[in-house]
């Protein structure tokens, strides 16, 4: 167990790093953020900040020397940076998790190798292979996604026929996968942690609603039958074990009409659909992650309240006065100076007694 006063290094300086920073400093750790961006929401929650590029080996080496363990708040840490740091200090959740989650094709192959279900998919790296992939998926509507670097629905195009699939590939200008459109009954996610000792604690599954590719709300309980909830937790456990994972993971799921769960994608980090844990659990996903990477025991993932988390996207945040006056609303703002359309500015957790979610 890292003692209080030790330093946890975090790659990335966005809102997830900020909330990890708050959780880490609350436990008595120093938190050192490493990120290249001019504006760093995490900086206000950190003890030290290094502004450096992920390609800057000298700066990364100095960062490693200044911390006791390295973690990250986003999955697109360049492999070279992860490898360099991994030779110097423990990197948790780990290089394998990054490797798998950075590439949608590798990720889907990995999930299938564990016996888990996914949407049907096929790889494509040119217009011609896109047409073949479209046909291989049965000639029904598909989503063309870049294999790497997509988020909030960016790098995705719907294709209703082979010609559209080929055009999408030319527009995206990157290796892609095509996914069959899943006619889901709903979207769920599980946020779960695995400790250094192998203990697993999965938070309750959340029911998620997206609009324009961006998460809007997460609700717990998800109002699915108990078998589905248990299966969601089991799936997270299988993935955590297979990755020999340490820390918090987000597993996005589609609930099929018949009740089956398909894994959409995994995020090897704290996850937007786990923000409700900040106010509805004894330890939030952020504390749980810091505990895991510091080798501390995990807290039980029990939930003490029902909750709806609403993302404050763009102008939504201008309602802060009204939200601040709501008695059951827990407001979390990210300190971003500029409101932009589609930008996650904060979130609000509305709490209800157990069994009282409207
Ligand atoms: P995020 O950053 O929000 O996780 P992302 O850019 O990584 O998004 P995905 O999670 O792959 O992208 O997709 C975003 C959303 O698009 C999903 O949550 C879902 O609503 C829809 N979607 C993606 N793939 C499929 C699919 N195969 N079938 C049906 N809907 C899909
Ligand atoms: Mg997603």
């Amino acid at each position: 167990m890292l003692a209080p006063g030790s330093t946890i290094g975090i790659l990335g300086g966005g809102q997830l790093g900020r909330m990890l920073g708050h959780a880490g400093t609350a436990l008595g750790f120093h938190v050192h953020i490493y990120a290249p961006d001019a504006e760093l929401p995490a900086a206000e929650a950190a003890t030290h900040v290094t502004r450096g590029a992920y390609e800057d080996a000298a700066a990364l080496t100095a960062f490693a020397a200044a911390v006791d363990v390295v973690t990250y708040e986003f999955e697109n840490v360049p492999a070279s940076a992860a490898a360099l740091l991994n030779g110097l200090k423990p990197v948790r959740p780990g290089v394998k998790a990054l490797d798998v989650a950075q590439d949608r094709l590798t990720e889907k192959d990995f999930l299938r190798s564990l016996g888990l279900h996914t949407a049907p998919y096929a790889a494509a790296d040119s217009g011609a292979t896109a047409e073949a992939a479209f046909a291989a998926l049965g000639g029904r509507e598909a989503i063309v996604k870049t294999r790497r670097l997509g988020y909030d629905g960016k790098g995705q195009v719907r294709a209703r026929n082979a010609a559209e699939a080929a055009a999408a590939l030319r527009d995206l200008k990157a290796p892609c996968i095509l996914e069959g459109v899943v006619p889901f009954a709903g979207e769920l996610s599980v946020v779960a942690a695995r400790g250094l000792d192998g203990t697993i604690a999965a938070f309750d599954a959340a029911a998620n609603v997206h609009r324009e590719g961006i998460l809007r709300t997460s609700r717990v309980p998800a109002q699915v039958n108990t078998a589905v909830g248990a299966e969601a937790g089991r799936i997270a456990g299988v993935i955590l074990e297979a990755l020999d994972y340490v820390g918090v993971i987000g597993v996005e799921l589609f609930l099929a009409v018949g009740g089956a769960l398909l894994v959409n994608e995994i995020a090897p980090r704290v996850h937007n659909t786990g923000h409700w844990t900040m106010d509805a659990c004894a330890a939030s996903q952020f504390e749980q992650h810091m505990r895991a990477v510091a080798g501390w025991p995990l807290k039980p993932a029990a939930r003490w309240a029902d909750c709806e988390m609403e993302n404050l996207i763009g102008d939504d945040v201008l309602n802060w006065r009204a939200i601040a006056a709501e008695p059951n609303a827990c407001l979390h703002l990210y300190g971003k100076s500029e409101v932009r359309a589609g930008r996650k500015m904060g979130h609000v957790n509305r709490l209800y007694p157990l069994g009282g979610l409207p």
Side-chain angles (χ1 to χ4, degrees), residues 119-136:
Y121 64 98
D125 53 17
S126 67
T129 49
E131 291 187 19
F134 189 87

Side-chain angles (χ1 to χ4, degrees), residues 10 12-22 31 33 35-49 51 73 333-338 340 343-346:
I10 302 176
Q15 64 267 16
L16 300 179
R18 176 184 177 96
M19 292 183 275
L20 286 169
H22 286 143
V31 171
I33 297 288
D37 315 73
E39 191 186 37
L40 294 174
E44 288 175 322
T47 331
H48 307 281
V49 176
R51 254 193 201 74
E73 57 117 55
L333 298 177
Y334 305 153
K336 296 181 181 178
S337 54
E338 196 192 338
R340 287 199 296 266
R343 193 175 200 205
K344 291 176 179 168
M345 304 299 297

Side-chain angles (χ1 to χ4, degrees), residues 104 145 151-153 156 187 210 213 252 264-266 271:
R104 292 185 192 276
K145 301 183 181 180
Y151 71 99
D152 288 349
Q156 300 194 12
E187 290 192 79
H210 293 79
E252 298 176 16
N264 172 27
E265 60 174 354
I266 60 178
H271 197 251

Side-chain angles (χ1 to χ4, degrees), residues 88-169:
L88 299 171
K89 287 289 155 70
V91 174
R92 296 173 184 152
V95 172
K96 186 172 178 197
L98 283 175
D99 226 43
V100 166
Q102 283 182 355
D103 183 325
R104 292 185 192 276
L105 182 61
T106 313
E107 181 180 54
K108 288 247 181 350
D109 289 345
F110 166 77
L111 294 166
R112 290 274 178 108
S113 78
L114 300 179
L116 301 175
H117 302 293
T118 70
Y121 64 98
D125 53 17
S126 67
T129 49
E131 291 187 19
F134 189 87
L137 292 179
R140 282 183 292 276
E141 185 173 11
I143 305 180
V144 185
K145 301 183 181 180
T146 56
R147 283 172 57 175
R148 293 180 166 272
L149 297 173
Y151 71 99
D152 288 349
K154 293 182 176 47
Q156 300 194 12
V157 179
R158 292 236 174 185
R160 284 161 303 183
N161 53 52
E164 285 185 4
L169 224 95

